Amino acid sequence: MGDKATLFETGRFVQPSGEEPTRDEAAEAAEEARRRLRAEAGDVESMSVLGAMLLRRGDLDGAEPQLRAATAAGDRAAANNLGVLLHQRGYPEEAAGWWRIAAVAGSAAAAHALGRHHRERGDEPAAEYWLCQSAEQGHALGAYALADLLEHRGDADAAPWMRAAAERGHREAAYRLARALDRRAAVGEGEIGPDPGVDTETPAGAQDADEAEQWYRQAAARGHRRAALHLGAILEKRGELKEAGRWYLTSARDGEARAACALGFLLRDAGDTESAAVWWLRAAQDGDGNAANALGALHAERGETQTAERWYRAAMDAGDDNGAYNLALLCVEQGRTAQAEQWYRRAAYAGHREAANALAILLLQVGDTSGAEPWFSKAAEAGSVDAAFNLGILYAGRGEDRVALQCYERAAAAGHTEAALQVGIARLREGDEAAAERHLRCAAGGGSAEAAYRLAAVLDARRPAVSEHELGESSLNVKTECEEWYERAASQGHRRAQVRVGMLAAARGDVVEAARWYRAAAEAGSRNGAFNLGLLLAREGSEPEAAVWWERAADAGHGRAALRLALVYARRGELAEGQRWADRAVALGPAEVSERAGRLRDALHEELSA
């Protein structure tokens, strides 16, 4: 019948919600002595109170005669407590008989006990009747038990009784009411039970969330550890970390492993890793897989791989699939590919989508394309954006561009930057510039340098034709949006964007800025950057340095740079070297360069043969 203390009743008081009053032991002993004297003198109330005191202390033999005597004299509280005593002795039917007598006499506690007795025996109609009698008399336990019975049956009338029990101080009712409000806030439904005075201008979901927090707070204040956990989570999400930590601590001290784990993460984020580890250890030892994973990660960061592996295995034993996934990652770092595949498979079969994606990548790396595809598909179906993108790459590699594009679009819709880039490129090929621009903007906004460059190129192509600079650039004096995107890509190290920004700067007459970007591109391996930097230096009168950059560009296959070198050496009178670079320019092209270089080579050959 639950906590026996919640059923005690005397003619003068009923123990509230399972909480015993704290009294001085000496005063209590004196009270018991006074009650005993009065009971011996035949005082019925004293018999009842004395019986309740002895019952509470566990002295069933001493309590029973007192309670029977008071019951025989018509004391309903004694009848209820006699029922409690008999129930503890293992005589439930006899206990029910006395509860019935007390309940008929108006005892709410007895009606509650009798209702629970009938429910345990499967007689729900009788249980509902007596629990309703108890609840209607304002008995918190009766209201809660009635709500629980109705809720189990799916009866909508459960909600107001759960609320009534919560309002009367029942902490489990307050917690369950909060959970129901929380769930409804997530789906934005209406009210639970009567709630007068609600601000109808506030969205229903927000009302529910606010009220749920109030009930969590009430239950937590009464010592409900799961309510304290949920209250801490609400406060943490809102950024009130100090108060969240206090409630997590309260819950953790009461034995809630999830609260200990959450407290560990709060401490870690605050920079106190050692204290975090203490709480994670406590939670992990109580079977919290998330805490075991956190300990594993902590030890892995410290290079303590054996300890990390032990905690990852503990997480798996606790039923946390992340343990297998993290153990696989650890094996990959150590080069233990076979073991990594084993753990990835275990997590993937359990439904871990990132493990399925990682397993597919591992299989691809060893050439098992047919084995990789179903795992990519499974992960993508489970919501892995990376898997959808990887599946697109797999199909594109087979030449199945239409299916690949579908996969890219799926990943792009979920915010995958590289997928958005691929969709943008595909739309450009199809000539759908509007769709291409939309996807390129998404990818560029997500940090893709290539997308920023391609977006800039799309915008650049729309600019009106103007006179060309010697370097092939228009002489605009203001920055446009396309230049801003070029600069964003350039600042991320995109070499072609760096060259383009340099050319735009040169077109504006900003030689210093142009040289800076050309040099950055050239040093990163761009042959166009090296060639243009050479042109800029040559104009500034630094032909020897220009030749150095032209040589770098020519060695990388730049025909025009080779032609420039041929001309430089020809002017210096180094005809053989000039002829060598002219030969190289002929080979590299393009056609116009090859033609000019061919004439120069022939002229140098004639000069050398003269």
Side-chain angles (χ1 to χ4, degrees):
M1 295 298 294
D3 186 348
K4 65 183 181 183
T6 61
L7 304 179
F8 293 152
E9 184 180 3
T10 75
R12 299 178 62 183
F13 63 88
V14 178
Q15 291 296 97
S17 305
E19 296 177 4
E20 298 184 13
T22 57
R23 302 178 61 183
D24 181 80
E25 290 183 5
E28 188 169 345
E31 173 67 10
E32 182 180 333
R34 282 193 299 272
R35 289 292 181 182
R36 191 176 295 278
L37 287 172
R38 291 177 184 175
E40 290 172 354
D43 184 74
V44 174
E45 181 186 350
S46 292
M47 292 177 193
S48 180
V49 173
L50 178 60
M53 293 174 73
L54 294 170
L55 178 58
R56 186 184 306 116
R57 200 165 66 211
D59 184 359
L60 303 188
D61 291 335
E64 186 169 353
Q66 300 293 339
L67 293 174
R68 285 191 180 277
T71 300
D75 189 292
R76 72 180 189 187
N80 173 60
N81 289 338
L82 181 57
V84 175
L85 184 147
L86 291 167
H87 187 271
Q88 290 184 32
R89 285 193 184 276
Y91 302 109
E93 296 305 324
E94 188 179 353
W98 291 111
W99 281 330
R100 182 181 298 276
I101 290 171
V104 169
S107 170
H112 164 245
L114 187 58
R116 291 190 59 181
H117 169 79
H118 284 298
R119 186 177 181 188
E120 287 173 0
R121 275 149 185 74
D123 187 354
E124 289 200 1
E128 183 178 351
Y129 173 80
W130 289 110
L131 291 175
C132 190
Q133 294 296 314
S134 175
E136 287 176 350
Q137 293 181 64
H139 195 271
L141 291 170
Y144 174 72
L146 178 60
D148 184 66
L149 173 66
L150 295 172
E151 188 176 281
H152 179 74
R153 213 161 60 200
D155 194 323
D157 289 337
W161 286 115
M162 190 69 76
R163 183 180 291 276
E167 289 171 348
R168 292 166 188 164
H170 194 289
R171 70 182 189 185
E172 184 65 24
Y175 171 72
R176 287 177 63 173
L177 179 58
R179 293 297 294 141
L181 288 162
D182 236 353
R183 287 191 295 270
R184 199 179 56 196
V187 295
E189 295 179 358
E191 292 284 327
I192 289 183
D195 191 12
V198 169
D199 177 7
T200 55
E201 294 183 1
T202 304
Q207 291 174 10
D208 290 337
D210 291 343
E211 190 181 358
E213 181 180 342
Q214 293 170 14
W215 288 115
Y216 279 136
R217 193 175 291 277
Q218 178 171 311
R222 291 178 176 271
H224 197 292
R225 69 187 193 188
R226 282 174 296 164
L229 167 66
H230 285 284
L231 180 57
I234 290 170
L235 293 165
E236 181 182 2
K237 186 176 180 180
R238 205 158 62 209
E240 299 176 26
L241 302 184
K242 187 172 289 187
E243 188 180 358
R246 285 198 297 269
W247 286 113
Y248 282 148
L249 181 60
T250 298
S251 181
R253 283 175 172 167
D254 286 340
E256 182 60 53
R258 290 175 297 168
C261 180
L263 180 58
F265 282 111
L266 270 189
L267 290 165
R268 181 204 63 182
D269 293 344
D272 189 354
T273 309
E274 295 305 316
S275 295
V278 171
W279 287 105
W280 283 333
L281 178 61
R282 181 168 175 173
Q285 288 173 338
D286 286 339
D288 189 282
N290 195 20
N293 270 316
L295 280 173
L298 182 63
H299 287 289
E301 287 174 5
R302 295 172 177 173
E304 301 164 358
T305 54
Q306 288 185 335
T307 307
E309 183 169 338
R310 179 166 61 84
W311 283 114
Y312 287 147
R313 289 180 183 274
M316 285 191 290
D317 292 341
D320 192 322
D321 300 329
N322 283 315
Y325 176 64
N326 290 333
L327 187 52
L329 293 175
L330 189 66
C331 290
V332 167
E333 290 176 5
Q334 296 173 336
R336 296 154 56 194
T337 307
Q339 292 95 326
E341 181 180 341
Q342 170 193 347
W343 297 119
Y344 278 143
R345 282 189 186 278
R346 174 166 173 170
Y349 277 121
H352 195 293
R353 66 188 189 189
E354 297 310 323
N357 180 55
L359 174 60
I361 293 172
L362 198 64
L363 293 170
L364 268 187
Q365 290 171 346
V366 296
D368 186 1
T369 307
S370 60
E373 182 180 345
W375 286 113
F376 276 139
S377 296
K378 185 174 182 179
E381 288 167 4
S384 171
V385 180
D386 288 334
F389 176 67
N390 290 335
L391 195 57
I393 294 175
L394 191 65
Y395 285 124
R398 294 177 183 170
E400 300 178 42
D401 293 338
R402 185 182 61 80
V403 184
L405 182 57
Q406 291 174 351
C407 294
Y408 289 145
E409 287 177 331
R410 182 175 178 179
H416 195 286
T417 297
E418 290 304 311
L421 169 62
Q422 293 303 319
V423 175
I425 292 172
R427 296 299 179 221
L428 278 177
R429 284 198 300 264
E430 295 169 359
D432 188 350
E433 191 174 290
E437 181 181 343
R438 186 171 67 253
H439 283 96
L440 290 174
R441 284 187 183 278
C442 289
S448 170
E450 181 65 24
Y453 172 74
R454 287 178 180 269
L455 174 60
V458 168
L459 298 172
D460 204 357
R462 295 177 187 166
R463 296 197 302 170
V466 291
S467 59
E468 294 297 316
H469 186 268
E470 183 177 345
L471 299 182
E473 287 305 311
S474 57
S475 53
L476 298 177
N477 295 317
V478 293
K479 287 186 180 181
T480 60
E481 186 189 1
C482 76
E483 187 168 0
E484 290 173 357
W485 284 112
Y486 278 135
E487 287 185 356
R488 180 179 295 194
S491 65
Q492 293 176 254
H494 194 287
R495 294 183 303 181
R496 284 178 295 167
Q498 289 171 337
V499 172
R500 189 65 177 147
V501 171
M503 295 172 75
L504 290 168
R508 290 196 308 272
D510 191 344
V511 177
V512 174
E513 184 74 357
R516 182 172 73 86
W517 286 114
Y518 287 151
R519 190 178 298 275
E523 289 175 348
S526 168
R527 63 187 186 184
N528 285 330
F531 174 69
N532 284 357
L533 179 58
L535 288 178
L536 206 62
L537 290 168
R539 279 204 201 105
E540 297 299 312
S542 302
E543 190 174 84
E545 188 180 353
V548 172
W549 290 106
W550 283 332
E551 185 169 345
R552 181 181 291 193
D555 286 340
H558 198 289
R560 286 188 173 83
L563 177 58
R564 288 277 177 171
L565 282 171
L567 291 168
V568 167
Y569 285 112
R571 282 197 299 272
R572 291 178 183 174
E574 300 178 31
L575 304 185
E577 189 67 9
Q579 186 178 13
R580 184 174 74 83
W581 283 111
D583 279 336
R584 185 72 187 276
V586 170
L588 293 173
E592 177 191 350
V593 170
S594 296
E595 182 183 349
R596 291 178 59 195
R599 291 198 298 269
L600 177 59
R601 178 190 59 189
D602 293 342
L604 291 174
H605 179 70
E606 289 178 6
E607 189 72 22
L608 286 168
S609 300

